[in-house]
Amino acid sequence: LKVLVVDDDAGLRFAVSSTLKNAGRFAVEEAVDGMHALERFENQKYDVVLLDVDMPRLNGLETLKKIKSERPQTIVIIMTAYATINDAVVAVKEGAYNYLSKPVKGEELIQLIDRSI
């Protein structure tokens, strides 16, 4: 599976990417924010996008809308340190598969990705 990890927090992005790479079943790429994610999205197809909400330039909810309008079959899982019920409702309405609070536990994330497929 091809996964794009989108987070402006380099440490968290690295941790999530490393966890998925170490599982041995995922081809993982990274993006530093929503704009960078959409640039990557133009040239690549991803099965799953792990997307932070609070990012500069283009936030996660706006990025989610653009991804789902271009490729509705892409599974998007929202990750955030600042979870609110309102954001969760908006994310699901916009097509997010699930909404996780950070820090994300590696095994739970892998199981969630497996269920989403």
Side-chain angles (χ1 to χ4, degrees), residues 34-35 38 51-53 55 57-69 78 90 94:
M35 294 296 287
L38 295 177
L51 186 59
D52 184 25
V53 172
M55 297 182 292
R57 298 201 304 160
L58 188 64
N59 73 37
L61 296 176
E62 290 300 316
T63 305
L64 167 66
K65 289 178 191 176
K66 291 182 183 293
I67 287 172
K68 291 308 248 182
S69 71
I78 298 291
V90 170
E94 293 297 336

Side-chain angles (χ1 to χ4, degrees), residues 18-19 37 47 63 108 110 112:
S18 295
T19 297
D47 301 300
T63 305
E108 287 178 21
I110 290 169
L112 181 61

